[in-house]
Amino acid sequence: MEETLPWVVRELPPPGSLDLWLLRVSDVPAGILDEAVLDATERQRAAALMHAADRTRFTAAHVALRRLLGTYLSLRPEEINFGRDTCPCCGGPHGRPTVLGAGRELFFSLSHRGDLALVGTAMAPIGVDVDLVSDQPATAELASMLHVDEQAELAALAPELRPRALARLWTRKEAYLKGLGTGLGRDPALDYVGSGRPQGPYPPSGWTLLDVPVDRGYAAAVAVRGELDVTVPTVSRLSGPDVVGHTPRLLGRDAVPHASWLSDRDLAGHTFEALQTERTPP
């Protein structure tokens, strides 16, 4: 592919597929986040967070999102203008997030919790969610918000198995609600998403829900409208070069990214060869 743009260009995920990207925030060296690409609203939201760790996670997640979307839409990360679709619940302007003025339509979703940030992209409405596995007292309170059949499913488990099962159910639930564009504006008790067991029940009609392999101590899920060609999603790992200022080479969808180690020269603003990625272990 001819090098005509000063940033990476990726082909859009084909219909029936999706791309998933995972960032471990602690992998990003302190003080090098490319905050300049964020808009005023994002900076205000980050500044309003009380704890430094929360501010770092928010900033890293949103910088990574902008950089990824830019590679699909042939835009610099700072050129991306976010908007919102109409909310399916109330008709207000706070539905599914979109990129305004993009030449190509791409659906995306972002979730961040603890040390992880997860981004999903597809050519159909998509939602992703990542969460920590909570302790048993927190499990009981959260479970009470679920569909009655999901509550029964959890109650049938031994107490020590419930936190993990709840995290799996809850991430599937939030991923689906994000895909709908409602988020938690829609009562989580209304829809049964289940745990994906072969004996059923199945996800809501017209949707595919998959568990996403992430780090130990976390659960994650993705929901996409329509059928997918995969039953176990592949996750690409983001790293330091993906959230700092750099000018990578042009890449096609099938190109193999070159792995680069961070150095003092890189952190000073010199060019990286490409985005560093690796497969996420199960």
Side-chain angles (χ1 to χ4, degrees), residues 1-11 70-75 104 246-258 271-275:
M1 188 178 291
E2 182 183 1
E3 292 193 7
T4 57
L5 300 173
W7 59 87
V8 170
V9 172
R10 300 184 187 278
E11 294 182 14
T71 67
Y72 289 108
L73 302 173
S74 299
L75 294 170
R104 295 184 285 182
H246 65 287
T247 306
R249 289 185 176 180
L250 201 66
L251 291 180
R253 180 174 181 81
D254 299 325
V256 178
H258 171 75
T271 302
F272 285 106
E273 288 294 310
L275 295 175

Side-chain angles (χ1 to χ4, degrees), residues 86-274:
T86 300
C87 174
C89 291
C90 67
H94 45 257
R96 187 184 300 111
T98 62
V99 176
L100 301 176
R104 295 184 285 182
E105 184 175 47
L106 176 68
F107 293 90
F108 63 92
S109 182
L110 167 67
S111 178
H112 47 87
R113 183 70 187 275
D115 195 34
L116 299 182
L118 179 66
V119 178
T121 59
M123 295 304 291
I126 182 174
V128 300
D129 192 59
V130 61
D131 206 349
L132 290 160
V133 177
S134 302
D135 56 19
Q136 290 188 32
T139 298
E141 182 178 356
L142 199 57
S144 66
M145 301 172 61
L146 295 173
H147 188 281
V148 61
D149 291 337
E150 293 167 342
Q151 294 184 43
E153 195 172 303
L154 290 171
L157 297 174
E160 65 272 14
L161 299 179
R162 290 173 192 165
R164 180 69 189 175
L166 174 62
R168 187 183 184 208
L169 276 167
W170 189 258
T171 55
R172 290 166 66 87
K173 178 82 66 175
E174 282 222 51
Y176 171 63
L177 295 178
K178 288 181 180 180
L180 283 179
T182 66
L184 292 175
R186 180 176 173 86
D187 187 349
L190 292 178
D191 305 290
Y192 180 89
V193 301
S195 60
R197 296 176 300 170
Q199 62 268 38
Y202 294 97
S205 177
W207 287 82
T208 300
L209 270 66
L210 298 175
D211 297 321
V212 176
V214 290
D215 295 9
R216 189 179 301 276
Y218 292 83
V222 58
V224 180
R225 191 168 69 190
E227 295 185 2
L228 292 177
D229 298 331
V230 298
T231 57
V232 179
T234 299
V235 185
S236 295
R237 177 83 67 173
L238 298 171
S239 66
D242 302 318
V243 290
V244 299
H246 65 287
T247 306
R249 289 185 176 180
L250 201 66
L251 291 180
R253 180 174 181 81
D254 299 325
V256 178
H258 171 75
S260 302
W261 291 102
L262 287 169
S263 69
D264 292 339
R265 287 173 58 82
D266 296 329
L267 302 185
H270 292 265
T271 302
F272 285 106
E273 288 294 310

Side-chain angles (χ1 to χ4, degrees), residues 12-143:
L12 299 176
S17 70
L18 75 164
D19 288 343
L20 291 171
W21 306 88
L22 186 70
L23 174 69
R24 185 186 292 123
V25 178
S26 59
D27 285 346
V28 181
I32 66 167
L33 287 172
D34 189 17
E35 300 179 32
V37 304
L38 302 180
D39 63 23
T41 299
E42 289 167 317
R43 293 187 192 122
Q44 289 171 1
R45 291 177 62 190
L49 296 172
M50 182 178 300
H51 301 292
D54 294 336
R55 293 192 294 272
T56 298
R57 180 175 62 247
F58 178 95
T59 301
H62 284 257
V63 170
L65 175 64
R66 283 178 168 274
R67 290 198 169 279
L68 282 171
L69 293 178
T71 67
Y72 289 108
L73 302 173
S74 299
L75 294 170
R76 297 182 185 276
E78 63 271 20
E79 294 174 337
I80 291 173
N81 294 312
F82 290 112
R84 291 277 184 173
D85 283 341
T86 300
C87 174
C89 291
C90 67
H94 45 257
R96 187 184 300 111
T98 62
V99 176
L100 301 176
R104 295 184 285 182
E105 184 175 47
L106 176 68
F107 293 90
F108 63 92
S109 182
L110 167 67
S111 178
H112 47 87
R113 183 70 187 275
D115 195 34
L116 299 182
L118 179 66
V119 178
T121 59
M123 295 304 291
I126 182 174
V128 300
D129 192 59
V130 61
D131 206 349
L132 290 160
V133 177
S134 302
D135 56 19
Q136 290 188 32
T139 298
E141 182 178 356
L142 199 57

